Amino acid sequence: MDTKIVPGVIKEQSLATLNPADSVMDAVNLMTERKIGAVIIVDNSAKLAGIFTERDLVNRVVAKGLDAAGVPLSKVMTANPDTLGPNDTAMNALDLMSARRYRHLPVVDGDTVVGMVSIRDLFNVVKAQLEEDVRERENFIFGSDYGVA
């Protein structure tokens, strides 16, 4: 599976980003509105500062009884997260996510954040590839006219 992250896994994404000074509640509202599980945190120069995920919310905010409206993301985000590059493959992403137990990874091109890959995105790529492999094998085994009356 050598599908490149860009454009094979992620295409024209509308990035959900916040600043480290924004509150956890800002992140929760954005994640709820966009139906996403993570938000990219960028500094004032638009460089990646961190990522805030549902797991961060549970483990670093809720479990500690913190007030989501009063806590800045800088205190509870995952700073300097691992990243993927646009030319990394879906398999690279799966390997990293599996080894480190991530569900989201930012994609950066130099200093520019270009997207976010989720485990769901990768599942869809793997599923499509498996379906294509099955079609190719059926055509090889049964011929291209198999199943046609």
CSV table of all heavy atoms in Angstrom, one decimal, residues 113-136:
chain,number,residue,atom,x,y,z
A,113,VAL,N,1.5,23.5,8.0
A,113,VAL,CA,0.5,22.4,8.3
A,113,VAL,C,-0.4,22.3,7.1
A,113,VAL,O,-1.0,23.3,6.7
A,113,VAL,CB,-0.3,22.7,9.6
A,113,VAL,CG1,-1.3,21.6,9.8
A,113,VAL,CG2,0.6,22.9,10.8
A,114,VAL,N,-0.5,21.1,6.5
A,114,VAL,CA,-1.3,20.9,5.3
A,114,VAL,C,-2.5,20.0,5.5
A,114,VAL,O,-3.3,19.9,4.6
A,114,VAL,CB,-0.4,20.4,4.1
A,114,VAL,CG1,0.6,21.4,3.7
A,114,VAL,CG2,0.2,19.1,4.4
A,115,GLY,N,-2.5,19.4,6.7
A,115,GLY,CA,-3.7,18.5,6.9
A,115,GLY,C,-3.5,17.7,8.2
A,115,GLY,O,-2.6,17.9,9.0
A,116,MET,N,-4.5,16.8,8.4
A,116,MET,CA,-4.5,15.9,9.5
A,116,MET,C,-5.0,14.6,9.0
A,116,MET,O,-6.0,14.5,8.3
A,116,MET,CB,-5.5,16.4,10.6
A,116,MET,CG,-5.7,15.4,11.7
A,116,MET,SD,-4.9,15.9,13.2
A,116,MET,CE,-5.8,17.3,13.7
A,117,VAL,N,-4.3,13.5,9.4
A,117,VAL,CA,-4.8,12.2,9.0
A,117,VAL,C,-5.3,11.5,10.2
A,117,VAL,O,-4.8,11.6,11.3
A,117,VAL,CB,-3.6,11.4,8.5
A,117,VAL,CG1,-3.9,9.9,8.3
A,117,VAL,CG2,-3.0,11.9,7.2
A,118,SER,N,-6.5,10.9,10.0
A,118,SER,CA,-7.1,10.1,11.1
A,118,SER,C,-7.0,8.6,10.8
A,118,SER,O,-6.9,8.3,9.6
A,118,SER,CB,-8.5,10.5,11.3
A,118,SER,OG,-9.4,10.1,10.3
A,119,ILE,N,-7.2,7.8,11.8
A,119,ILE,CA,-7.2,6.4,11.6
A,119,ILE,C,-8.4,6.0,10.7
A,119,ILE,O,-8.3,5.1,9.9
A,119,ILE,CB,-7.2,5.6,12.9
A,119,ILE,CG1,-6.8,4.2,12.7
A,119,ILE,CG2,-8.6,5.8,13.6
A,119,ILE,CD1,-5.4,4.0,12.4
A,120,ARG,N,-9.5,6.8,10.7
A,120,ARG,CA,-10.6,6.5,9.9
A,120,ARG,C,-10.2,6.8,8.4
A,120,ARG,O,-10.6,6.0,7.5
A,120,ARG,CB,-11.8,7.4,10.3
A,120,ARG,CG,-13.1,7.1,9.5
A,120,ARG,CD,-14.2,8.0,10.0
A,120,ARG,NE,-14.2,8.0,11.5
A,120,ARG,CZ,-14.8,8.9,12.2
A,120,ARG,NH1,-15.5,9.9,11.6
A,120,ARG,NH2,-14.8,8.9,13.5
A,121,ASP,N,-9.5,7.9,8.2
A,121,ASP,CA,-9.0,8.1,6.8
A,121,ASP,C,-8.2,7.0,6.2
A,121,ASP,O,-8.4,6.5,5.1
A,121,ASP,CB,-8.1,9.4,6.7
A,121,ASP,CG,-8.8,10.7,7.2
A,121,ASP,OD1,-10.0,10.8,7.0
A,121,ASP,OD2,-8.1,11.5,7.7
A,122,LEU,N,-7.3,6.4,7.1
A,122,LEU,CA,-6.5,5.3,6.7
A,122,LEU,C,-7.3,4.0,6.5
A,122,LEU,O,-7.0,3.3,5.5
A,122,LEU,CB,-5.4,5.1,7.7
A,122,LEU,CG,-4.4,6.3,7.7
A,122,LEU,CD1,-3.4,6.1,8.9
A,122,LEU,CD2,-3.6,6.4,6.4
A,123,PHE,N,-8.3,3.8,7.3
A,123,PHE,CA,-9.2,2.7,7.1
A,123,PHE,C,-9.8,2.7,5.8
A,123,PHE,O,-9.9,1.7,5.1
A,123,PHE,CB,-10.2,2.6,8.2
A,123,PHE,CG,-11.3,1.6,8.0
A,123,PHE,CD1,-11.1,0.3,8.2
A,123,PHE,CD2,-12.5,2.0,7.5
A,123,PHE,CE1,-12.1,-0.7,7.9
A,123,PHE,CE2,-13.5,1.1,7.2
A,123,PHE,CZ,-13.3,-0.3,7.5
A,124,ASN,N,-10.3,3.9,5.4
A,124,ASN,CA,-11.0,4.0,4.1
A,124,ASN,C,-10.1,3.7,2.9
A,124,ASN,O,-10.5,3.1,1.9
A,124,ASN,CB,-11.6,5.4,3.9
A,124,ASN,CG,-12.8,5.6,4.9
A,124,ASN,OD1,-13.5,4.6,5.2
A,124,ASN,ND2,-13.1,6.8,5.3
A,125,VAL,N,-8.8,4.2,3.0
A,125,VAL,CA,-7.8,3.9,2.0
A,125,VAL,C,-7.5,2.4,1.9
A,125,VAL,O,-7.5,1.8,0.8
A,125,VAL,CB,-6.5,4.7,2.2
A,125,VAL,CG1,-5.4,4.2,1.3
A,125,VAL,CG2,-6.8,6.2,2.0
A,126,VAL,N,-7.3,1.8,3.1
A,126,VAL,CA,-7.0,0.3,3.1
A,126,VAL,C,-8.2,-0.5,2.6
A,126,VAL,O,-8.1,-1.4,1.8
A,126,VAL,CB,-6.7,-0.1,4.5
A,126,VAL,CG1,-6.6,-1.6,4.6
A,126,VAL,CG2,-5.4,0.5,5.0
A,127,LYS,N,-9.4,-0.1,3.0
A,127,LYS,CA,-10.6,-0.8,2.5
A,127,LYS,C,-10.7,-0.7,1.0
A,127,LYS,O,-11.0,-1.7,0.3
A,127,LYS,CB,-11.9,-0.2,3.2
A,127,LYS,CG,-13.2,-0.8,2.8
A,127,LYS,CD,-14.3,-0.2,3.6
A,127,LYS,CE,-15.6,-0.7,3.1
A,127,LYS,NZ,-16.2,-0.1,2.0
A,128,ALA,N,-10.6,0.5,0.4
A,128,ALA,CA,-10.6,0.7,-1.0
A,128,ALA,C,-9.6,-0.2,-1.7
A,128,ALA,O,-9.8,-0.8,-2.8
A,128,ALA,CB,-10.5,2.2,-1.4
A,129,GLN,N,-8.4,-0.2,-1.2
A,129,GLN,CA,-7.3,-1.0,-1.8
A,129,GLN,C,-7.6,-2.5,-1.7
A,129,GLN,O,-7.4,-3.2,-2.7
A,129,GLN,CB,-6.0,-0.7,-1.1
A,129,GLN,CG,-4.8,-1.4,-1.7
A,129,GLN,CD,-4.5,-1.0,-3.2
A,129,GLN,OE1,-4.4,0.2,-3.4
A,129,GLN,NE2,-4.5,-1.9,-4.1
A,130,LEU,N,-8.1,-2.9,-0.6
A,130,LEU,CA,-8.5,-4.3,-0.5
A,130,LEU,C,-9.6,-4.7,-1.5
A,130,LEU,O,-9.6,-5.8,-2.1
A,130,LEU,CB,-8.9,-4.7,0.9
A,130,LEU,CG,-7.8,-4.7,1.9
A,130,LEU,CD1,-8.4,-4.9,3.3
A,130,LEU,CD2,-6.8,-5.8,1.7
A,131,GLU,N,-10.6,-3.8,-1.6
A,131,GLU,CA,-11.7,-4.1,-2.6
A,131,GLU,C,-11.1,-4.2,-4.0
A,131,GLU,O,-11.5,-5.0,-4.8
A,131,GLU,CB,-12.7,-3.0,-2.5
A,131,GLU,CG,-13.5,-3.1,-1.2
A,131,GLU,CD,-14.5,-1.9,-0.9
A,131,GLU,OE1,-14.3,-0.9,-1.6
A,131,GLU,OE2,-15.3,-2.1,-0.1
A,132,GLU,N,-10.2,-3.3,-4.4
A,132,GLU,CA,-9.6,-3.3,-5.7
A,132,GLU,C,-8.8,-4.6,-5.9
A,132,GLU,O,-8.8,-5.2,-7.0
A,132,GLU,CB,-8.7,-2.0,-5.9
A,132,GLU,CG,-8.0,-2.0,-7.2
A,132,GLU,CD,-8.9,-1.9,-8.4
A,132,GLU,OE1,-10.1,-1.4,-8.3
A,132,GLU,OE2,-8.5,-2.3,-9.5
A,133,ASP,N,-8.0,-5.0,-4.9
A,133,ASP,CA,-7.3,-6.2,-5.0
A,133,ASP,C,-8.2,-7.4,-5.2
A,133,ASP,O,-7.8,-8.3,-6.1
A,133,ASP,CB,-6.4,-6.5,-3.7
A,133,ASP,CG,-5.3,-5.5,-3.5
A,133,ASP,OD1,-5.0,-4.8,-4.5
A,133,ASP,OD2,-4.7,-5.5,-2.4
A,134,VAL,N,-9.3,-7.5,-4.6
A,134,VAL,CA,-10.3,-8.6,-4.8
A,134,VAL,C,-10.8,-8.6,-6.2
A,134,VAL,O,-10.9,-9.6,-6.9
A,134,VAL,CB,-11.4,-8.5,-3.7
A,134,VAL,CG1,-12.6,-9.5,-4.1
A,134,VAL,CG2,-10.9,-8.8,-2.3
A,135,ARG,N,-11.2,-7.4,-6.7
A,135,ARG,CA,-11.6,-7.3,-8.1
A,135,ARG,C,-10.6,-7.8,-9.1
A,135,ARG,O,-10.9,-8.5,-10.0
A,135,ARG,CB,-12.0,-5.8,-8.4
A,135,ARG,CG,-13.4,-5.5,-7.9
A,135,ARG,CD,-13.9,-4.1,-8.5
A,135,ARG,NE,-13.1,-3.0,-8.1
A,135,ARG,CZ,-13.2,-2.4,-6.9
A,135,ARG,NH1,-14.2,-2.8,-6.1
A,135,ARG,NH2,-12.5,-1.4,-6.6
A,136,GLU,N,-9.3,-7.4,-8.9
A,136,GLU,CA,-8.3,-7.8,-9.8
A,136,GLU,C,-8.0,-9.3,-9.7
A,136,GLU,O,-7.8,-9.9,-10.8
A,136,GLU,CB,-7.0,-7.0,-9.4
A,136,GLU,CG,-7.0,-5.6,-9.8
A,136,GLU,CD,-5.7,-4.8,-9.3
A,136,GLU,OE1,-4.8,-5.5,-8.8
A,136,GLU,OE2,-5.7,-3.6,-9.5
